[in-house]
């Protein structure tokens, strides 16, 4: 038998947390919302880059309690609606939408690296560099030498 311990010890209460203009935002989608996100993602049919961008906004909006009108582009409610009310630019809104999308399709590490770099290519390079540095020092991710 494999004993994994207490599940609650491995998961924080806020699944996504970031700050914008000094204000902290958090979101913790329900398991059902994450499952719906994956069903929509895996059944996607959009072929153009524009169609993929709209679908990404639509998927993430539902995940974070927002509504996104695919005909008008209007965002209301939830996290994205609050960001709009708080004056987020399109670039900021798009960045958090892309980051959240990456989190739920590729995982936390890539999403965090993307959030920091703003580019999937740079994020992958950062993760690769971090991994190589950890291998050279014999440390695992998140571990320090004790001299820090």
């Amino acid at each position: 038998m494999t004993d994994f311990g207490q599940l609650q010890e491995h998961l924080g209460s806020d699944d996504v947390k970031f700050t914008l203009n000094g204000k902290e935002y958090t979101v913790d989608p329900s398991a059902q919302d994450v499952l719906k996100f994956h069903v929509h993602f895996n059944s996607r049919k959009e072929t153009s880059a524009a169609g993929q961008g709209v679908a990404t906004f639509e998927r993430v909006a539902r995940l974070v309690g927002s509504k996104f009108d695919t005909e008008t582009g209007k965002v209301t409610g939830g996290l994205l609606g609050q960001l709009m009310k708080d004056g987020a630019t399109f670039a900021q809104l798009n960045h958090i939408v892309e980051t959240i999308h990456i989190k739920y399709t590729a995982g936390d590490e890539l999403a965090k690296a993307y959030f920091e770099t703003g580019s999937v290519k740079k994020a992958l390079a950062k993760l690769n560099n971090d991994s190589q540095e950890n291998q050279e020092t014999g440390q695992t991710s998140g571990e320090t030498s004790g001299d820090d």
Side-chain angles (χ1 to χ4, degrees), residues 6-7 9 13 18 30 40-41 50 53 59 70 74-75 89 101 104 106-107 110-111 118 124 130 132 135 143-144:
Q6 290 294 317
L7 182 58
E9 294 173 9
S13 61
F18 64 96
S30 70
H40 188 263
F41 178 73
R59 273 191 292 276
T70 58
K74 185 174 182 176
V75 176
T89 64
H101 196 268
Y104 289 101
L110 183 58
L124 289 169
D130 290 351
Q132 286 178 354
Q135 287 176 357
E143 182 181 345
T144 66

Side-chain angles (χ1 to χ4, degrees), residues 21-22 51 57 60 75 91 93 96-97 141:
N21 299 327
F57 259 84
V60 171
V75 176
L93 192 66
I96 196 61
V97 165
S141 183

Side-chain angles (χ1 to χ4, degrees), residues 10-139:
H10 301 283
L11 304 172
S13 61
D14 298 318
D15 209 26
V16 174
K17 180 166 68 170
F18 64 96
T19 55
L20 177 65
N21 299 327
K23 182 176 178 180
E24 185 173 273
Y25 298 85
T26 61
V27 65
D28 190 14
S30 70
Q32 188 64 55
D33 289 337
V34 175
L35 290 168
K36 285 180 190 175
F37 172 90
H38 282 285
V39 166
H40 188 263
F41 178 73
N42 289 312
S43 65
R44 66 181 192 224
K45 295 176 180 81
E46 62 278 346
T47 56
S48 69
Q52 291 172 5
V54 169
T56 297
F57 259 84
E58 184 181 18
R59 273 191 292 276
V60 171
R62 282 192 246 158
L63 187 63
V64 299
S66 301
K67 292 189 190 296
F68 176 69
D69 186 321
T70 58
E71 304 252 336
T72 66
K74 185 174 182 176
V75 176
T76 56
L79 175 68
L80 302 182
Q82 187 61 52
L83 286 168
M84 296 284 287
K85 282 184 185 177
D86 292 345
T89 64
F90 174 77
Q92 292 166 331
L93 192 66
N94 190 58
H95 189 68
I96 196 61
V97 165
E98 291 289 338
T99 301
I100 291 170
H101 196 268
I102 290 168
K103 173 188 173 41
Y104 289 101
T105 57
D108 290 343
E109 287 185 26
L110 183 58
K112 186 171 182 182
Y114 176 81
F115 188 81
E116 293 170 3
T117 65
S119 157
V120 171
K121 185 176 180 178
K122 290 178 185 175
L124 289 169
K126 178 182 181 346
L127 291 177
N128 188 39
N129 288 340
D130 290 351
S131 176
Q132 286 178 354
E133 287 174 15
N134 288 339
Q135 287 176 357
E136 290 169 7
T137 62
Q139 296 174 346

